[in-house]
Amino acid sequence: MLTIDNLHVSIEGKAILNGINLNVRAGEVHAIMGPNGSGKSTLSAAIAGNESYDVVKGDILFKGENIIELAPEERAHKGIFLSFQYPIEIPGITVTNFIKTSINSNLKARGESDMPANKMLKKIREKAALLEIDSKFLSRSLNEGFSGGEKKRNEIFQMAMLEPSLSILDETDSGLDIDALKIVANGVNKLKNKSNAIIVITHYQRLLDYIIPDYVHVLHEGKIVKSGGKELAHELEEKGYDWIK
Amino acid sequence: MQLTEKLISSFLAFELDIDIHSDIHNIRTNAIKKFEELGFPNKKLENWKYTSLNRIIKEDYTVFSKKKNVIDFKKVKDYFIDNIETHKLIFVDGFFDPFLSQTSHDGLDICIMSAALSKPKYAKIIEKYFNKSANLEDSLTCLNTAFSKEGAYVHIPKNTVLEKPIEIIHFATGNEAALMLQPRNLVVVEQGAEVEIIESHQSLTVNPIFTNSVTEIFAEKNANIDYYKIQNDVVTSSLVDNTYISQKRNSDVKVHTFSFGGKLTRNNLNFFQKDSSINSTMNGVTIIDYDQLVDHHTLVHHANPNCESHQDYKGIYSGKSTGVFNGKIIVDKIAQKTNAFQQNNNILLDNKSTINSKPQLEIFADDVKCSHGCTIGQLDQDALFYLRARGIPKKEAKALLTYAFANNVLESVKIPELKIRVKNIIAKKLGVSLGFDL
Amino acid sequence: MAYTEEELKKELETQEYEYGFVTEIDADTFSKGLSEDVVRAISKRKEEPNWMTEWRLEAYRSWKKMKEPEWSNVKYIKPDFQEISYYSAPKSKDKYESLDEVDPELLKTFEKLGISVNEQKKLAGVAVDIVVDSVSVATTFRETLSKKGIIFCSISEAIREYPDLVKKYIGSVIPRKDNFYSALNSAVFSDGSFCYIPKGVRCPMELSTYFRINQAGTGQFERTLVIADEGSYVSYLEGCTAPSRDENQLHAAVVELIALDNAEIKYSTVQNWYPGNKNGKGGVYNFVTKRGICHTNSKISWTQVETGSAVTWKYPSCILKGDNSIGEFYSIAVTNNYQQADTGTKMIHIGKNTKSTIISKGISAGKSQNSYRGLVQVNPRAENARNFSQCDSLLMGNKCGAHTFPYIEVKNNTAMVEHEASTSKIGEDQIFYCNQRGIDTEKAIALIVNGFSKEVLNNLPMEFAVEAQKLLEISLEGSVG
């Protein structure tokens, strides 16, 4: 589904990623771990197409198509979802209004007509229940005044609504207490199926107890220095990041 | 005779009396022409909508005192800041008083305008700075320029950090039945230099005094200036203070205005940011009573990127007093990343007091943070009750709350002795004997 | 506040909007120019009584002595008042007895405007008076309203049918000599809406007026008078459109509201006059005087969404004369390309315990200039007056300007006045977040702008709010990049 080939990315002239290679197939869960500053969030931003990040070299292929030149919304239309580490606040826009606009934009890009209101409503209900979100939450301004946990839950709620082929969860566990973490992980697991894929970016192994990865990659100084199965995460937790340096 | 006509007709006599340097003569001549054209400002002008000079200019002022008057230091000792060494520039009825002053030429110049305007050694600086930031379209500024002769001249050379503050006091003896004064000050602070200046105007009798002052301040690269204006004159004196500040890169200028006295006080405080990374600060506390009027007009012109300005004006009004705040922030198209903040908070203590506030923003750049806030209210009744329930009498409790309201502006005063002095004036003004050392 | 199912559904609905068409209708138009004779001719054409003719003439004579105001922050080529035709009516009969008599072309216009003139469409629940160019052409739901004693008709008809009410109130809130344009309007207004809600009556539906300038070379000078008698309530909507034309058209309206004791008037405007083209050519000059007077315990609430006009000059105001009266002003002003808006409000606190709220949202894009100008005045006897004002500006791009000129004058020490203003821009991170969710940049901006304007949009009646949102989006088209 996703093939990253020798990806080099820099910000304002400073090299952050120095040749990333990664292959993610449908039905797989990949975890990307690494110490602070290793380039984890840069990788997610580059896949999503944030224009503040310069792709200096390399390619990103999604479903066989090179997406390097695509705008962020075009990538989203193709089924790439990024759960933000720091979700953005948009005052005055309700969660419902935002998700409606998002879904209909995606449908339109695919040449389909808007989702009928009753269908949308049903889906919102269903997905809100999945993430134990009550309806009051849906009428609040997007991320404004949300607690850390609420913001993350809202991200996964949007993921559930948009049903992307590839979801990148950037530090989704940060700011969550254990109960919220379980709800979020449970939601993600329910959304997982044979035709989609998930990349979990995390500093700690904690989240991986709930979202079991098929592969674990360790990122250090902009390169994947080690790859392995889920046991690698436990090993890292025990030995610390110094072990891989 | 009308004051306007009197001033215009006195101009020739005025120049006959002094050394005429040709360049300065041209500046003065143009200025008097402009004043003749514009006259005194009236309420029809947007900038004078809330303040009328009519009751001030109707007096028959002597437009320049002919006689030098001498005053005894003992009589005026209280008007100097206690327990602190300062450079002193003292003027009496518009004339320099060498006995009360302490000038300095020790690697810098802290002296008088009359010398600077006439002696060749100052010619270069005068040519570069004199009347260069003053508004040539403002009638009162022009009037001052026309009669510019005496005042403070301060030139601090590169990287000089002045240890002692400069104290400038303009006394009026009241030997004239009514006197108009037009002090003209020039402050040039070169690259990396630092200076603190304290300015006040003090009349010694109740004879009407009308001071129309112009101060030009130039802060070169990395210069630091703290300018304190202590306005605590008797209630028969009026002051129009026109201050123009021109700043270069990385300079930091703060003007603190404490307005407690006077009949009518109008402050026109103008900041021009001539380069990037500049900081400009305007603080003010106004506490007035009776039929006093204090009018603050501020202008900050952000003409370059990455600059900041902060304004914080507090006003407390009793009796039939009137407060005016008109703050204008202009952000030019190229002044991206400007941070401009403006606060004006007011408390009305009596039902005859008035406040007119007009905080304005004119913004032409998009990547900026600009905000202003204005509040008008009363002292918090719950807080007042709380203090009284703890045994503090009403008057003292009110004074404490008033003090607390103005406190953050007072805290910006860096000279401890000056802070004590201002606190004492406030205590006296509020009729309490509190130290306010909270 | 949690959503009800209905609200959620409404929010999920969408609609389209487009107005730039000219309707081909024969019009009866006066030749250009203004004189006492023209004023008399207008009055005669409207079959007005003598007192009205004299009232107009006096206004005309005052106007002749007045100068056009210059103080606002707008620049424009002053209209040549002798180059305007002061009367243009769709040619047909003078009066319409029923909708069947209305010109079919005109009905098509209304359809394009989305106005239900068809009384069958009762679902809409809005009674409409429609003013094309200068003349009221149709008023709907009259019968339903008259059962409750509500008078809703054109002002010309009111002058003939209810002279006592008109005589008592016209010019009582905005005197003829109030300003240059109110004087001009008083002299030449050719129609407008009149509304009277009797004592204790709650008007069962939204009353609405649609204004349209259709004819080229005409000015529109309508006059609206709304009287809410003691204890009554009315919600009044006004919508404005004009076709795209190269020349500047003048619109100088006067709206007077009277809220008697315990009455409440809610007045909403969606103003979408032609703003001129991308290069600033053409567009309507919108110079409007709107003011309401509040008697004891009454309330007037102005809500406006201003997206159109080349130049807007408008300050809907409240005179809070009665004790405990309330004034509100909610405004969104959007300017794009070369548009200029100088708008705000005046809240004059005279009575005791009076309250006012001002929420103003200005959005500037393109090369436009957007100014808020407001006055909060607390008079010496206005004990316990309260005001809260908030003025926020959003700038898009670096060629526009956003300005705030609040005037606060307080002469009573029991007053509490609070004013806040801020200026911001749309964050790149906000746009990226929307992009990542598949929303393109233009749509993302519309979304963020809608969020910015929410507090004001919330004050519009539901069916208008949706239209207004769409309008914001259309107005800002092409403002990105």
Side-chain angles (χ1 to χ4, degrees):
Chain A
M1 178 177 295
L2 178 77
T3 305
I4 298 176
D5 181 25
N6 193 27
L7 185 70
H8 288 70
V9 175
S10 64
I11 308 170
E12 289 172 356
K14 196 180 161 225
I16 308 288
L17 297 182
N18 306 301
I20 298 278
N21 293 294
L22 185 68
N23 196 14
V24 179
R25 284 173 296 251
E28 292 178 351
V29 176
H30 287 243
I32 294 176
M33 302 183 72
N36 290 330
S38 58
K40 299 189 300 286
S41 289
T42 302
L43 179 60
S44 63
I47 300 172
N50 191 331
E51 280 150 15
S52 319
Y53 296 77
D54 301 322
V55 175
V56 184
K57 208 160 98 182
D59 288 316
I60 303 172
L61 279 84
F62 184 65
K63 295 177 183 168
E65 182 193 354
N66 196 338
I67 58 168
I68 286 288
E69 295 298 326
L70 295 186
E73 64 269 30
E74 291 170 318
R75 300 183 199 208
H77 298 158
K78 295 198 179 298
I80 295 175
F81 178 88
L82 171 63
S83 167
F84 283 55
Q85 184 181 358
Y86 304 108
I88 308 299
E89 299 179 359
I90 303 182
I93 290 300
T94 61
V95 174
T96 310
N97 189 357
F98 182 71
I99 199 70
K100 179 200 82 176
T101 311
S102 170
I103 285 186
N104 286 335
S105 296
N106 281 297
L107 287 172
K108 197 176 165 196
R110 287 177 218 142
E112 294 171 38
S113 52
D114 285 357
M115 187 181 282
N118 50 1
K119 195 176 163 197
M120 180 91 69
L121 195 61
K122 192 165 163 262
K123 189 164 183 178
I124 289 175
R125 286 260 160 70
E126 192 185 305
K127 303 299 182 187
L130 175 70
L131 287 150
E132 299 178 26
I133 287 171
D134 83 73
S135 69
K136 266 183 205 157
F137 181 86
L138 298 172
S139 63
R140 284 169 62 186
S141 279
L142 187 67
N143 292 323
E144 197 185 30
F146 283 22
S147 69
E150 285 173 330
K151 282 184 180 172
K152 295 302 169 71
R153 219 189 282 188
N154 180 26
E155 292 292 284
I156 304 305
F157 167 68
Q158 291 179 37
M159 171 182 159
M161 289 298 294
L162 292 166
E163 300 175 30
S165 335
L166 175 68
S167 302
I168 306 159
L169 312 183
D170 190 359
E171 305 270 4
T172 295
D173 50 336
S174 69
L176 291 186
D177 62 32
I178 191 70
D179 293 332
L181 184 75
K182 280 183 190 165
I183 293 166
V184 165
N186 182 36
V188 172
N189 286 328
K190 284 198 179 140
L191 297 170
K192 208 177 87 179
N193 61 39
K194 273 185 212 156
S195 58
N196 64 20
I198 295 167
I199 297 174
V200 181
I201 292 176
T202 182
H203 187 84
Y204 302 104
Q205 177 261 342
R206 192 171 72 140
L207 179 65
L208 305 179
D209 286 343
Y210 300 96
I211 303 172
I212 315 286
D214 300 302
Y215 300 95
V216 174
H217 311 277
V218 181
L219 200 59
H220 180 59
E221 289 178 350
K223 276 189 171 168
I224 291 176
V225 292
K226 207 167 177 58
S227 294
K230 65 182 176 212
E231 63 291 342
L232 183 57
H234 290 281
E235 211 169 330
L236 268 177
E237 184 80 1
E238 268 169 44
K239 299 184 180 171
Y241 283 111
D242 286 340
W243 170 60
I244 45 99
K245 282 178 186 169
Chain B
M1 192 170 19
Q2 288 277 313
L3 184 58
T4 311
E5 292 154 31
K6 189 170 183 175
L7 283 160
I8 293 163
S9 59
S10 307
F11 181 68
L12 285 179
F14 165 79
E15 276 216 323
L16 277 180
D17 209 34
I18 52 173
D19 242 4
I20 298 182
H21 180 288
S22 64
D23 290 347
I24 304 299
H25 167 72
N26 286 341
I27 291 173
R28 286 195 188 112
T29 312
N30 289 335
I32 197 73
K33 276 185 194 151
K34 195 77 201 175
F35 175 73
E36 197 172 353
E37 181 193 318
L38 299 169
F40 279 103
N42 59 46
K43 282 190 124 175
K44 280 184 194 153
L45 299 170
E46 182 67 22
N47 276 339
W48 291 86
K49 186 176 157 73
Y50 296 118
T51 301
S52 168
L53 286 177
N54 288 347
R55 63 178 177 148
I56 307 305
I57 58 177
K58 70 174 201 292
E59 300 284 346
D60 185 21
Y61 295 106
T62 300
V63 294
F64 36 90
S65 171
K66 282 256 159 60
K67 200 167 109 252
K68 285 193 186 187
N69 294 308
V70 182
I71 45 178
D72 182 1
F73 176 68
K74 275 185 229 153
K75 273 193 184 160
V76 295
K77 192 165 103 354
D78 286 351
Y79 299 113
F80 291 84
I81 313 265
D82 296 329
N83 309 320
I84 184 171
E85 285 285 303
T86 58
H87 298 281
K88 292 180 177 64
L89 293 172
I90 311 302
F91 303 89
V92 176
D93 293 340
F95 291 98
F96 178 62
D97 186 326
F99 304 109
L100 294 173
S101 300
Q102 284 165 24
T103 58
S104 175
H105 296 282
D106 184 17
L108 43 76
D109 291 301
I110 299 171
C111 59
I112 53 176
M113 272 306 268
S114 52
L117 288 174
S118 56
K119 292 188 182 167
K121 73 177 258 209
Y122 303 105
K124 242 175 122 180
I125 297 290
I126 291 295
E127 194 186 334
K128 188 171 174 190
Y129 296 107
F130 180 75
N131 212 33
K132 290 297 182 290
S133 74
N135 181 356
L136 305 179
E137 299 295 318
D138 178 71
S139 70
L140 290 169
T141 302
C142 289
L143 176 63
N144 175 289
T145 304
F147 291 96
S148 55
K149 176 187 169 194
E150 195 55 288
Y153 174 83
V154 175
H155 179 234
I156 313 294
K158 203 169 167 179
N159 298 327
T160 308
V161 176
L162 208 63
E163 286 178 5
K164 292 192 283 183
I166 302 169
E167 210 174 350
I168 304 169
I169 308 177
H170 298 272
F171 287 110
T173 58
N175 289 354
E176 311 277 354
L179 180 65
M180 183 166 181
L181 293 170
Q182 307 220 47
R184 176 72 173 220
N185 309 310
L186 177 63
V187 177
V188 178
V189 182
E190 301 280 7
Q191 192 175 331
E194 290 180 25
V195 65
E196 294 172 317
I197 298 173
I198 306 159
E199 182 199 283
S200 60
H201 299 265
Q202 190 64 53
S203 172
L204 303 173
T205 69
V206 294
N207 285 351
I209 304 294
F210 176 27
T211 304
N212 175 38
S213 158
V214 171
T215 305
E216 289 182 283
I217 299 171
F218 294 87
E220 293 294 333
K221 266 188 215 171
N222 297 307
N224 249 310
I225 303 174
D226 269 280
Y227 205 110
Y228 301 93
K229 293 173 184 286
I230 313 297
Q231 301 174 337
N232 191 36
D233 211 343
V234 298
V235 295
T236 47
S237 294
S238 294
L239 169 68
V240 177
D241 177 320
N242 306 285
T243 299
Y244 298 92
I245 296 147
S246 173
Q247 287 185 259
K248 291 283 177 65
R249 183 184 290 261
N250 282 322
S251 64
D252 187 346
V253 178
K254 297 186 175 76
V255 175
H256 318 256
T257 310
F258 297 97
S259 312
F260 309 124
K263 180 178 188 164
L264 179 152
T265 306
R266 163 74 175 232
N267 289 296
N268 296 317
L269 183 55
N270 307 281
F271 277 84
F272 305 103
Q273 299 185 330
K274 301 280 188 189
D275 208 333
S276 57
S277 307
I278 289 167
N279 242 306
S280 309
T281 304
M282 284 135 273
N283 290 323
V285 175
T286 303
I287 304 176
I288 52 172
D289 200 346
Y290 317 111
D291 63 346
Q292 289 180 288
L293 183 149
V294 171
D295 179 345
H296 290 289
H297 265 63
T298 66
L299 165 70
V300 186
H301 193 154
H302 288 277
N304 285 286
N306 296 309
C307 293
E308 292 196 11
S309 70
H310 298 266
Q311 299 186 49
D312 193 350
Y313 280 84
K314 311 272 188 194
I316 296 138
Y317 306 93
S318 310
K320 285 196 268 179
S321 67
T322 302
V324 180
F325 176 77
N326 184 110
K328 192 177 204 173
I329 295 171
I330 301 174
V331 180
D332 282 356
K333 206 183 273 189
I334 66 155
Q336 294 291 5
K337 309 270 178 205
T338 292
N339 285 340
F341 305 102
Q342 190 185 60
Q343 260 300 317
N344 173 230
N345 304 104
N346 304 285
I347 288 181
L348 294 181
L349 292 176
D350 283 309
N351 59 9
K352 294 267 167 62
S353 18
T354 299
I355 170 76
N356 298 307
S357 180
K358 203 180 143 203
Q360 305 167 69
L361 300 172
E362 287 191 54
I363 298 174
F364 297 92
D366 61 339
D367 193 7
V368 299
K369 282 191 194 131
C370 298
S371 68
H372 67 216
C374 168
T375 60
I376 295 161
Q378 296 76 46
L379 289 176
D380 182 346
Q381 292 304 313
D382 294 338
L384 198 61
F385 174 73
Y386 182 81
L387 291 177
R388 293 173 72 188
R390 292 287 176 275
I392 301 166
K394 192 174 177 187
K395 196 165 154 193
E396 275 72 16
K398 268 187 162 181
L400 266 177
L401 290 177
T402 305
Y403 174 77
F405 172 74
N407 191 38
N408 63 325
V409 174
L410 291 173
E411 285 312 310
S412 68
V413 176
K414 285 184 204 143
I415 306 167
E417 294 80 4
L418 180 64
K419 201 189 276 181
I420 291 167
R421 180 174 185 80
V422 172
K423 285 177 181 179
N424 288 341
I425 297 175
I426 293 177
K428 205 174 161 192
K429 188 91 193 167
L430 299 171
V432 292
S433 54
L434 290 170
F436 290 134
D437 288 316
L438 302 170
Chain C
M1 190 185 71
Y3 274 111
T4 64
E5 196 135 331
E6 277 310 298
E7 281 165 344
L8 199 55
K9 265 188 193 154
K10 280 226 170 89
E11 190 163 346
L12 297 170
E13 273 164 19
T14 48
Q15 251 176 280
E16 283 305 317
Y17 218 91
E18 194 49 68
Y19 288 131
F21 55 88
V22 182
T23 310
E24 298 297 333
I25 327 172
D26 277 346
D28 166 18
T29 305
F30 274 27
S31 54
K32 290 170 181 174
L34 184 54
S35 63
E36 285 206 11
D37 289 343
V38 170
V39 175
R40 279 204 182 86
I42 293 169
S43 191
K44 195 175 170 202
R45 182 65 56 101
K46 309 303 296 182
E47 296 167 27
E48 285 175 357
N50 240 340
W51 65 267
M52 197 66 226
T53 315
E54 284 308 311
W55 194 86
R56 285 173 179 275
L57 284 169
E58 202 176 303
Y60 173 74
R61 285 165 202 145
S62 318
W63 175 78
K64 260 177 60 180
K65 287 182 215 142
M66 293 166 96
K67 273 200 187 125
E68 244 194 295
E70 306 231 6
W71 49 269
S72 63
N73 199 29
V74 293
K75 291 186 185 75
Y76 59 93
I77 301 160
K78 295 210 169 120
D80 181 343
F81 294 97
Q82 297 306 335
E83 273 302 307
I84 294 170
S85 167
Y86 289 86
Y87 186 81
S88 170
K91 204 180 249 173
S92 184
K93 291 173 71 177
D94 276 356
K95 282 177 272 178
Y96 298 90
E97 297 301 333
S98 84
L99 283 171
D100 302 337
E101 297 173 33
V102 175
D103 189 324
E105 276 293 321
L106 206 55
L107 285 177
K108 271 189 207 155
T109 305
F110 301 144
E111 242 163 67
K112 285 186 206 166
L113 292 168
I115 302 165
S116 94
V117 239
N118 190 338
E119 290 206 42
Q120 310 289 315
K121 280 188 177 177
K122 294 211 167 152
L123 280 174
V126 178
V128 187
D129 182 27
I130 295 158
V131 179
V132 171
D133 289 338
S134 302
V135 172
S136 174
V137 292
T139 307
T140 62
F141 284 105
R142 290 181 74 163
E143 268 180 49
T144 322
L145 293 170
S146 68
K147 274 180 200 151
K148 294 219 167 211
I150 296 169
I151 304 167
F152 182 41
C153 61
S154 72
I155 191 104
S156 324
E157 197 180 334
I159 291 166
R160 292 190 301 266
E161 308 289 329
Y162 312 99
D164 294 344
L165 275 175
V166 176
K167 215 170 176 174
K168 184 169 175 192
Y169 290 109
I170 196 166
S172 69
V173 189
I174 303 169
R176 283 164 288 183
K177 285 190 240 176
D178 188 79
N179 66 67
F180 184 81
Y181 287 105
S182 69
L184 178 63
N185 174 287
S186 300
V188 303
F189 76 87
S190 36
D191 220 329
S193 299
F194 175 83
C195 166
Y196 171 79
I197 316 291
K199 273 184 195 171
V201 171
R202 210 182 149 81
C203 185
M205 59 183 74
E206 311 277 353
L207 300 185
S208 171
T209 305
Y210 262 89
F211 296 105
R212 182 164 175 87
I213 303 178
N214 200 47
Q215 200 62 24
T218 58
Q220 177 144 320
F221 306 92
E222 83 272 354
R223 182 116 197 163
T224 302
L225 182 57
V226 178
I227 305 152
D229 211 329
E230 291 173 20
S232 68
Y233 167 84
V234 62
S235 170
Y236 196 96
L237 316 169
E238 115 192 305
C240 326
T241 63
S244 317
R245 291 192 190 281
D246 280 350
E247 91 258 14
N248 294 110
Q249 287 177 292
L250 177 63
H251 171 249
V254 170
V255 176
E256 291 177 285
L257 308 185
I258 293 111
L260 295 173
D261 294 358
N262 302 304
E264 181 177 346
I265 302 174
K266 193 172 155 63
Y267 197 101
S268 313
T269 304
V270 175
Q271 185 265 107
N272 187 28
W273 297 117
Y274 180 57
N277 71 6
K278 278 202 165 139
N279 304 314
K281 198 167 168 49
V284 171
Y285 290 160
N286 189 34
F287 302 142
V288 173
T289 311
K290 292 183 167 181
R291 196 176 300 156
I293 188 161
C294 286
H295 292 270
T296 308
N297 295 324
S298 69
K299 177 175 170 181
I300 288 179
S301 178
W302 298 98
T303 304
Q304 59 173 23
V305 178
E306 301 279 319
T307 60
S309 299
V311 182
T312 299
W313 177 101
K314 175 181 172 190
Y315 317 92
S317 307
C318 297
I319 301 169
L320 303 171
K321 185 178 168 226
D323 292 353
N324 313 314
S325 58
I326 297 172
E328 294 176 341
F329 175 73
Y330 299 96
S331 168
I332 302 168
V334 182
T335 53
N336 197 359
N337 299 319
Y338 284 88
Q339 280 179 273
Q340 302 176 70
D342 196 295
T343 183
T345 184
K346 290 181 190 175
M347 292 291 174
I348 313 293
H349 292 258
I350 299 169
K352 293 183 174 62
N353 306 314
T354 46
K355 273 191 204 127
S356 62
T357 304
I358 300 170
I359 309 285
S360 164
K361 306 277 179 177
I363 298 145
S364 343
K367 292 179 177 156
S368 68
Q369 299 296 331
N370 200 326
S371 304
Y372 167 82
R373 186 182 302 277
L375 169 67
V376 174
Q377 192 179 69
V378 178
N379 283 277
R381 274 182 287 175
E383 297 286 318
N384 294 314
R386 298 287 176 268
N387 163 267
F388 175 76
S389 307
Q390 190 184 333
C391 304
D392 297 324
S393 308
L394 194 64
L395 286 123
M396 297 169 63
N398 203 23
K399 292 186 176 115
C400 51
H403 317 294
T404 318
F405 305 101
Y407 293 69
I408 301 158
E409 304 174 3
V410 178
K411 289 188 167 31
N412 185 295
N413 70 325
T414 57
M416 298 269 258
V417 176
E418 233 177 295
H419 172 95
E420 285 171 15
S422 73
T423 302
S424 56
K425 67 165 202 164
I426 294 175
E428 276 157 27
D429 52 351
Q430 289 178 319
I431 290 176
F432 176 65
Y433 187 76
C434 293
N435 286 164
Q436 209 297 308
R437 297 294 185 260
I439 301 165
D440 66 38
T441 304
E442 199 145 288
K443 187 93 190 161
I445 286 174
L447 202 61
I448 295 162
V449 165
N450 266 319
F452 174 78
S453 316
K454 195 80 177 186
E455 287 160 279
V456 177
L457 290 172
N458 280 347
N459 276 289
L460 283 172
M462 202 51 169
E463 53 273 18
F464 257 46
V466 179
E467 281 182 44
Q469 275 185 27
K470 290 281 145 196
L471 207 52
L472 291 184
E473 223 165 288
I474 291 164
S475 308
L476 290 168
E477 254 170 29
S479 61
V480 201

